[in-house]
């Protein structure tokens, strides 16, 4: 007897897979909240460490809690030398997201079961992510590792470790806000991945190694890298409209536009656009920025009625490039931030866990005949 086939919903679009209080999106109104706080408020008034705590523990930290969390993050930036050696030994032409994935797995091998509680593992993972990204970047450039500076916050310390120079206040601020903006975004692909892996009771290092793999894809975190490649291909403002017409005629996607949930401009891209403007006004414009402004205008004219508007990735890459960060390090920066969200979801998943085991719609055949190898054509 065959059971009735379940109805397939491609991409599980619109299907709830968990209860969550971490973040909230209203895609029609363009609203994003973390634990009830509007993203614009957090971008203007909070910082990455405070936001990470908020996502993880549900409320804004007290001054003592925040100071303790910051001190802990600074302490956990000291990674095992053997892990740094592993990162330095990875292929220099490999993608930094692959290095980060390897880094999480190796970090788990060094640390799993060694810390006093899961909250310590969480702090270690948040602290270690930027250190691993910077360590691989320095190694592949043939430059020596820069030791973390415990007096700096996550954003400034990352820039310091990347360059070996004290970053200026504006750049550190811009990166800090970008980290706030990327820290969580409801049930996106990498968060879903994190929750699926968490549901198997895998350790949080494995959870992050899996989620980072999901984030790497060009339809998810990898889009910010593709935006820059695309803008460079367009080259100049006068070529924007012809390029867009060609792209749409061949049903190509314009990277940095469109969203599964937002059908209006992503609220994070408003914040990033304002920061980009500030950065470019203070440090000088680039052709890429002008091309981006023109492309936004042209895409919204052509596709706005379909609900296709800029998403967070459209302006983040432009900002990072202006700060001298290599294109393939853009997605790892997304990971530096999103690890806080993944771990908040991991904590939530563990409260009332049930292993994920969705159904499928079987489209194969039955009663296949096994033929001996020698008799097969
Ligand atoms: C993010 C994304 C995967 C969302 O996809 P989705 O909700 O499944 O939407 P679909 O891919 O089904 O697109 C719906 C329609 O809009 C069009 N569309 C969506 N995004 C588009 C884009 N970036 N450029 C051009 N057309 C786009 C599709 O071609 C489709 O058109 P059709 O109805 O004529 O077939 C998609 O918008 C995309 O690929 N964007 C580019 C990559 C990107 O920036 N990703 C980062 C997300 S934060």
């Amino acid at each position: 007897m065959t059971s009735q086939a379940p109805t397939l919903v491609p991409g599980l679009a619109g299907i709830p897979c968990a209860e969550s209080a971490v973040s909230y999106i209203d895609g029609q109104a363009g609203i994003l909240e973390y634990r009830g706080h509007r993203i614009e408020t957090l971008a203007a008034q909070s910082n990455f460490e405070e936001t990470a705590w908020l996502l993880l523990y549900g409320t804004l930290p007290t001054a003592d809690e925040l100071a303790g969390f910051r001190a802990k993050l600074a302490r956990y930036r000291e990674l095992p030398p053997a892990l740094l050696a592993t990162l330095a030994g990875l292929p220099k032409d490999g993608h930094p997201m692959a290095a980060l994935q390897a880094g999480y797995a190796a970090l788990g091998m060094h640390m799993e079961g060694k810390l006093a509680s899961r909250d310590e593992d969480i702090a270690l993972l948040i602290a270690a992510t930027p250190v691993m990204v910077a360590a691989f970047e320095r190694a592949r450039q043939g430059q020596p590792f820069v030791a973390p500076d415990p007096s700096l916050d996550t954003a400034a310390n990352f820039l310091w470790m990347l360059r070996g120079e004290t970053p200026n206040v504006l750049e550190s601020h811009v990166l800090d806000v970008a980290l706030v903006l990327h820290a969580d975004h409801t049930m996106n692909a990498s968060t879903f991945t994190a929750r699926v892996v968490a549901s198997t009771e895998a350790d949080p290092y494995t959870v992050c190694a899996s989620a980072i793999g999901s984030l790497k894809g060009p339809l998810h975190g990898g889009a910010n890298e593709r935006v820059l490649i695309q803008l460079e291909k367009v080259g100049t403002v006068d070529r924007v409209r012809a390029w867009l017409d060609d792209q749409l005629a061949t049903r190509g996607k314009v990277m940095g536009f469109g969203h599964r949930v937002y059908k209006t401009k992503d609220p994070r891209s408003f914040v990033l656009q304002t920061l980009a403007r500030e950065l470019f006004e203070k440090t000088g414009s680039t052709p890429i920025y002008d091309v981006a402004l023109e492309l936004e205008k042209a895409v919204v004219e052509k596709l706005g009625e379909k609900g296709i508007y800029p998403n967070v990735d459209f302006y983040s890459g432009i900002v990072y490039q202006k700060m001298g960060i290599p294109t393939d390090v853009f997605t790892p920066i997304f990971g530096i931030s999103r690890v806080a969200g993944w771990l908040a979801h991991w904590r939530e998943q563990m409260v009332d866990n049930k292993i994920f085991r969705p159904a499928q719609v079987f489209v194969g055949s039955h009663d296949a005949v096994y033929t001996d190898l020698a008799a097969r054509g």
Side-chain angles (χ1 to χ4, degrees):
M1 201 173 97
T2 52
S3 55
Q4 204 187 351
T7 308
L8 177 68
V9 179
L12 297 181
I15 306 291
C17 69
E19 286 187 340
S20 180
V22 180
S23 60
Y24 167 83
I25 300 174
D26 180 333
Q28 296 299 332
I31 291 171
L32 169 62
E33 294 170 350
Y34 294 168
R35 301 280 189 186
H37 295 268
R38 288 285 279 263
I39 195 65
E40 295 84 352
T41 310
L42 294 171
Q45 297 185 38
S46 187
N47 52 67
F48 175 65
E49 288 79 8
E50 181 182 77
T51 296
W53 177 284
L54 172 69
L55 291 169
L56 287 162
Y57 302 113
T59 55
L60 290 168
T62 63
D64 281 354
E65 284 169 338
L66 184 57
F69 188 52
R70 283 202 158 125
K72 198 184 277 187
L73 292 180
R75 216 170 43 245
Y76 279 137
R77 288 180 195 148
E78 300 291 338
L79 297 184
L83 170 63
L84 297 175
T86 301
L87 289 165
L90 293 172
K92 308 272 179 284
D93 56 354
H95 198 286
M97 285 295 274
L100 187 51
Q101 191 173 38
Y104 281 133
L107 181 64
M109 293 171 79
H110 285 285
M111 300 305 295
E112 168 59 8
K114 298 222 171 79
L115 298 178
S117 72
R118 282 308 191 196
D119 284 332
E120 298 298 309
D121 289 309
I122 285 175
L124 170 61
L125 277 157
I126 293 173
T129 306
V131 175
M132 292 194 291
V133 175
F136 178 70
E137 178 57 21
R138 296 285 295 182
R140 75 171 176 159
Q141 301 294 346
Q143 293 172 322
F145 176 73
V146 177
D149 179 344
S151 72
L152 299 176
D153 67 12
T154 300
N157 181 64
F158 173 67
L159 291 173
W160 155 249
M161 291 188 68
L162 207 57
R163 304 163 169 174
E165 287 167 17
T166 308
N168 71 47
V169 175
L170 177 60
E171 285 180 322
S172 302
H173 170 67
V174 168
L175 183 59
D176 183 52
V177 175
L179 296 183
V180 168
L181 296 177
H182 285 83
D184 198 55
H185 210 230
T186 76
M187 205 54 66
N188 57 86
S190 60
T191 301
F192 180 51
T193 304
R195 289 192 81 128
V196 170
V197 178
S199 80
T200 69
E201 296 189 359
D203 62 82
Y205 301 89
T206 305
V207 166
C208 291
S210 309
I212 205 79
S214 178
L215 187 68
K216 184 169 185 265
L219 295 189
H220 190 11
N224 59 12
E225 188 180 331
R226 304 293 175 102
V227 169
L228 244 281
I229 295 168
Q230 213 164 58
L231 290 174
E232 274 162 1
K233 211 162 135 197
V234 177
T236 53
V237 170
D238 58 310
R239 289 178 37 131
V240 164
R241 282 167 197 269
W243 176 87
L244 179 63
D245 288 343
D246 278 358
Q247 191 75 357
L248 298 181
T250 53
R251 296 195 61 75
K253 289 266 171 81
V254 188
M255 289 292 149
F257 287 84
H259 199 274
R260 177 54 67 78
V261 184
Y262 294 119
K263 297 304 163 201
T264 181
K265 189 163 167 173
D266 182 335
R268 302 167 300 172
S269 78
F270 280 111
V271 178
L272 269 175
Q273 190 175 2
T274 307
L275 283 176
R277 199 178 305 125
E278 193 182 334
L279 193 64
F280 283 95
E281 272 168 18
K282 292 213 171 117
T283 59
S285 194
T286 65
I288 285 287
Y289 181 58
D290 297 331
V291 170
L293 291 178
E294 183 64 15
L295 184 59
E296 175 175 352
K297 230 188 288 165
V299 172
V300 171
E301 270 168 36
K302 293 219 179 260
L303 301 175
E305 62 181 22
K306 267 190 181 179
I308 312 283
Y309 289 91
N311 57 49
V312 68
D313 292 317
F314 189 57
Y315 284 103
S316 63
I318 299 165
V319 164
Y320 300 152
Q321 192 205 40
K322 182 65 182 167
M323 291 162 67
I325 295 171
T327 310
D328 58 4
V329 179
F330 297 173
T331 318
I333 293 177
F334 195 156
I336 289 171
S337 166
R338 185 57 61 86
V339 65
W342 294 332
L343 292 167
H345 282 268
W346 171 71
R347 286 183 96 251
E348 204 173 49
Q349 180 68 32
M350 298 326 287
V351 171
D352 186 19
N353 185 42
K354 185 171 171 71
I355 189 169
F356 278 93
R357 191 21 174 129
Q360 64 170 7
V361 176
F362 180 67
V363 294
S365 56
H366 297 285
D367 303 324
V369 177
Y370 186 86
T371 320
D372 283 344
L373 184 57
R376 289 175 218 161

